[in-house]
Amino acid sequence: MSTESKKVTKPQAYFLLIFSIAFVIGGFAITEDADAVILFVAGAVLSTFAVIWGVKYNDIQHTIINLVRNMIMPILIIFSVGVMIGTWIVSGTIPIMVYYGIQIISPSLFYFLACLLCAIMALIMGSSWATISTIGIAFMGMAAGLGLSEVITAGAVASGALFGDKCSPMSDSPNVATAVAKTNLFQGCIHNMKTSGPALAICMVFYLVMGFTQQSTGDGRDSEAYQLIIDNLSTIFDLNPLMLLPPVVAIVMIVLKKPILPTFAASTALAAILAMIFQGASLSELGGIMMNGYTEATDIPVIDDILLRGGMSSFLGIAAILISACVFGAPLRCSGVIDVLLELIHHTSKTAKSMAVKVVGMCTTFFVITGGYDLTYAALGPMLPDLFDKYHLHRKNLSRILSDCTISLSPMIPWGAMGAFYAGTLGVSNLDFFFYAPFTWLSTLFCLIYAATGFNMTKVTDEQIKEEEAALN
């Protein structure tokens, strides 16, 4: 008797795909703050259909366990970020960055510089998560001090961080994308620039226009909020240059390619020590802040917006979303939905352009449903290199498509690890990124245009394919 798991039929696979999209969209439209519940219930319903149609429940359960295992590290990272933010606030690290930042940076150039500096930092560190967790948080505090829009600031931070994440050879995203696409890492990163570069350039112009438009209505340094921040932060905290050591330590360790959890732990420990020495915090207070965030309200809204954040508990809801996303994605993964879509592409594509467009659509659809770029890479990536070879398209095109259809869109997907992290850390909704972080969809749009027109889609001969294979082996 065969132990191989049964897959659903083509009509059943299409039903599961359409149902999952409709259920999630409908659930988010009619409920508030119930993302985890919607994904969990949707996963239960999809699993029921799959089991009725012959998929073994043990296979679904095993897939859920494997997916949750893969989510453990992102969950630990977001918990450590929450703890680190709390200690950075109580130590005076975030307050001093805000205090001096709002005095140095011109309000009219603020959004532009936020995007540019985050792009540079992410290119150097190879991590959008680390970029957002460090200077991204500081820019959010500065925006409040200058009376500037926090959602536009979050969009600028996200756009810059995403660019660096996609194009840095030190980032895990291009490393994994080029690995599954079976192409050279540095070629893949350079090829990513052809969609990410124009997208970032448009964003920079957008943020310049937004900065000068807002600046024309009045200088942020003349606002009451600015003066309140300058007066109160220096009163509440002992602001001296030593308070800048925690982010310096974090950045240096990341550049040196140290593991992310020990890096955040070292920065957190240093911030805690500084908090006890210079701010008079006790161990008991530090423990409470690490768990629940900084909670000492000043009853001054603009100050409280900067300080009242952080703590492990602030990310518990995000952890629930990530685990529920695993329950949601498991029945789709083990019921054969992906195999049906790949077969459809294979049999209906007559040209390289039509094949590439369909791959863009499939990668985007799968990522939007599952929310996991790593899951998308793992599920689709290994199945597609041969298809690109057949149509004589260089595999670095596939690597770029995988990045453009996942990493770029990630801040807008609340049930994905990156989307949950971006929104939770920057304190905005995922929908805000669509409007104020145009990079999220511009690079995907360029990707689709290139696929449809053949522009910037590098072609190869059979001989070049063999040479590429030999080089990788």
Side-chain angles (χ1 to χ4, degrees), residues 250-327:
I251 291 170
V252 169
M253 290 184 69
I254 291 168
V255 170
L256 293 176
K257 303 301 292 181
K258 301 301 181 184
I260 196 70
L261 287 179
T263 295
F264 286 172
S267 181
T268 298
L270 178 56
I273 293 170
L274 292 173
M276 289 188 288
I277 295 174
F278 293 99
Q279 314 301 345
S282 66
L283 283 174
S284 175
E285 290 172 333
L286 284 171
I289 289 169
M290 289 179 181
M291 183 64 201
N292 301 309
Y294 191 87
T295 57
E296 293 186 24
T298 63
D299 295 325
I300 304 173
V302 68
I303 300 294
D304 290 344
D305 287 344
I306 297 171
L307 301 181
L308 301 185
R309 61 176 68 204
M312 186 183 293
S313 62
S314 64
F315 287 95
L316 290 174
I318 295 176
I321 291 174
L322 298 182
I323 293 173
S324 296
C326 298
V327 177

Side-chain angles (χ1 to χ4, degrees), residues 6 24 43 84 110 138 170 225 230 242 264 268 291 316 329 343 350 357 368 379 384 386 400 423 465:
K6 181 180 177 181
V24 169
M84 186 174 70
F110 181 81
M170 293 188 291
I230 293 297
L242 289 176
F264 286 172
T268 298
M291 183 64 201
L316 290 174
E343 185 180 350
K350 296 182 179 180
V357 168
V368 169
L384 293 171
D386 291 342
R400 186 177 66 193
I465 292 172

Side-chain angles (χ1 to χ4, degrees), residues 157-168:
V157 168
S159 293
L162 286 170
F163 173 82
D165 201 319
K166 288 178 61 184
C167 299
S168 172

Side-chain angles (χ1 to χ4, degrees), residues 35-337:
D35 295 359
V37 174
I38 293 167
L39 292 170
F40 194 87
V41 173
V45 175
L46 290 170
S47 297
T48 301
F49 280 123
V51 169
I52 291 173
W53 289 332
V55 178
K56 295 178 181 179
Y57 174 73
N58 282 342
D59 291 336
I60 296 176
Q61 180 174 278
H62 182 69
T63 303
I64 292 173
I65 292 172
N66 284 336
L67 292 176
V68 171
R69 184 181 295 118
N70 292 335
M71 281 295 181
I72 293 299
M73 185 54 66
I75 290 173
L76 290 176
I77 289 174
I78 61 176
F79 281 168
S80 65
V81 167
V83 172
M84 186 174 70
I85 291 172
T87 56
W88 277 22
I89 292 173
V90 71
S91 67
T93 296
I94 288 178
I96 195 172
M97 288 193 289
V98 172
Y99 181 83
Y100 287 111
I102 63 176
Q103 297 180 66
I104 295 171
I105 298 177
S106 167
S108 58
L109 295 175
F110 181 81
Y111 303 134
F112 174 84
L113 289 174
C115 182
L116 177 63
L117 293 177
C118 285
I120 294 171
M121 190 65 70
L123 276 171
I124 294 171
M125 295 196 297
S127 171
S128 63
W129 290 54
T131 300
I132 287 173
S133 302
T134 52
I135 64 171
I137 295 170
F139 272 113
M140 294 303 293
M142 292 181 221
L146 292 170
L148 297 175
S149 168
E150 292 189 15
V151 292
I152 300 178
T153 304
V157 168
S159 293
L162 286 170
F163 173 82
D165 201 319
K166 288 178 61 184
C167 299
S168 172
M170 293 188 291
S171 170
D172 63 339
S173 169
N175 272 276
V176 177
T178 53
V180 298
K182 299 180 181 178
T183 191
N184 178 270
L185 169 63
F186 293 99
Q187 286 187 17
C189 289
I190 293 170
H191 208 51
N192 282 348
M193 292 276 192
K194 295 178 181 179
T195 52
S196 299
L200 183 68
I202 293 172
C203 287
M204 302 291 266
V205 173
F206 171 73
Y207 295 127
L208 273 176
V209 171
M210 295 299 292
F212 280 101
T213 300
Q214 291 207 349
Q215 176 68 2
S216 65
T217 63
D219 193 326
R221 294 196 178 100
D222 293 333
S223 67
E224 181 183 358
Y226 174 86
Q227 201 57 49
L228 282 171
I229 289 175
I230 293 297
D231 294 340
N232 284 276
L233 287 184
S234 58
T235 301
I236 299 171
F237 298 96
D238 179 359
L239 302 180
N240 70 70
L242 289 176
M243 302 304 108
L244 295 173
L245 284 177
V248 170
V249 167
I251 291 170
V252 169
M253 290 184 69
I254 291 168
V255 170
L256 293 176
K257 303 301 292 181
K258 301 301 181 184
I260 196 70
L261 287 179
T263 295
F264 286 172
S267 181
T268 298
L270 178 56
I273 293 170
L274 292 173
M276 289 188 288
I277 295 174
F278 293 99
Q279 314 301 345
S282 66
L283 283 174
S284 175
E285 290 172 333
L286 284 171
I289 289 169
M290 289 179 181
M291 183 64 201
N292 301 309
Y294 191 87
T295 57
E296 293 186 24
T298 63
D299 295 325
I300 304 173
V302 68
I303 300 294
D304 290 344
D305 287 344
I306 297 171
L307 301 181
L308 301 185
R309 61 176 68 204
M312 186 183 293
S313 62
S314 64
F315 287 95
L316 290 174
I318 295 176
I321 291 174
L322 298 182
I323 293 173
S324 296
C326 298
V327 177
F328 174 70
L332 293 172
R333 184 172 186 178
C334 63
S335 60
V337 173

